[in-house]
Amino acid sequence: MIIITLQRDKCIGCNYCVELAPEFFRMSKKDGKCTLLHAVEKKGFHTARTPFEHAEEPLQAAAKACPVKIIKIKPL
Amino acid sequence: MSSIELMSPAGSFESLQAAIDNGADSVYFGIEQLNMRAVSSINFTLEDLPEIVARCKPKGIHTYITLNTILYDHDMTLMRGIVDEAARCGVSAIIAADHAAIAYARQKGMAVHLSTQANVTNVETLRFYSMFADTMVLSRELSLNQVKKIVEAVERENICGPSGKPVQVEIFAHGALCMAVSGKCYLSLHTHNSSANRGACRQNCRQKYYVTDEDGNELMIDNEYIMSPKDLCVIDILDQVLDTGVRVLKIEGRGRSADYVAVTTRCYREAIDSYYEGTYSKEKVENWLERLATVYNRGFWNGYYLGQELGEWTEDHPGSHATQKKVYLGPGLGYFPKAGIGHFRIEAYDLKVGDPVLITGPTTGVQYHTIHEMMVDEKPTIAAVRGEEVTFPVPFKIRPSDKLYKLVQSED
């Protein structure tokens, strides 16, 4: 299991996460920020889970590439 | 009253109010993330727009939104939303560089200012953009001679913007300079994936660098800050600058604090006014330079305006060379309007009679004051320490959103 969190309000809309992990992120055409798919929002933090361990590599790449460091990946 | 427009940066409500109170003719600010200070300044939201316009419009101060990053397809809705809301709230113009933003703003009848990101360096480019923009900032890399020739061509050939009036030429007068041409820098993108052109510059150029060869031998270089230019300042050559015929002087610094905005705006206001009154003098310039040095700066130079070939680089240490620094003491608690007494809590350091202080807040802006007398527990005292509540007379209202700072001389 991997837990993904996104502090969405700080997103500057660079699109890197969508390039690197398109199965998990989409750019919102509404406000130009990225959206973590199937996530639950609590106090500005959006959290999603995936059982697929092979997703860790692209997710870590997205977290690393994020210029404002708002993506956190936690493998359980 | 001069016909020169002094444009000040507003990265927060504190800075906005400081610009208004200190003589700015116009202010520019970012909304949401589509501006060149997306990360380094707080940035306003769409909900803040009516308040910003309400503070500026009654005083005849123009308001400009910076919408000048490169834009992707997913940014279009937000970009359009910002332009629509700007038009609805009565914002004066949109500062843009991406053609999508320029085209949409024009479609909505919004005035467009061409951003430095468009890098206008010649008359023909200015003529091209005159189809869309009434005001254009020229590249910071031009000399004053080149600026003057462009201004003269606008007048001679009557190059008009969409408003039907001749294009207004703007230049940067004061503030940070970038090592790259008109901010088109990719260093931050290469090292941190963090694009300066999306407002997320990591300021690689401001760091100290050593040069070593492939064998590990360090090369002798005069300056470790080989990529960090000093700050632009033209107050000492303002007569030459205004003689070029430019109409708008822009102060850089949306990422800087409100006291920087207050001091730079006030100094340039005085300098522009004294130029037109015929009282611009060497003595005044020295006084302005001294005051400008009290707030954030990396040392000053005239930029490329006098035709200097190479940049002048930051010396001694990174960051600010300000001669003064502000030490946070505590928050405002309230104000007794009849007596004209401000009430504060000291949460750090101490406050003494005779101390110069700075009080800043989103509505207060920036106010300077010197403590002549004060009271703790309703008894006169000469010093207040951490944990105490202090009252002293101030000639302006104090609000709970205000912060009290003591001004001290920097050690170096």
Side-chain angles (χ1 to χ4, degrees), chain B residues 318-335:
Chain B
S320 182
H321 288 52
T323 55
Q324 218 170 45
K325 64 178 178 184
K326 48 184 198 287
V327 179
Y328 177 67
L329 298 181
L333 298 175
Y335 189 63

Side-chain angles (χ1 to χ4, degrees), chain B residues 172-177 230-234 268 300-303 305:
Chain B
F172 277 88
H174 193 93
L177 282 175
K230 286 181 180 177
D231 284 357
L232 174 66
C233 172
V234 302
Y268 277 88
F300 296 127
W301 70 308
N302 295 141
Y305 289 142

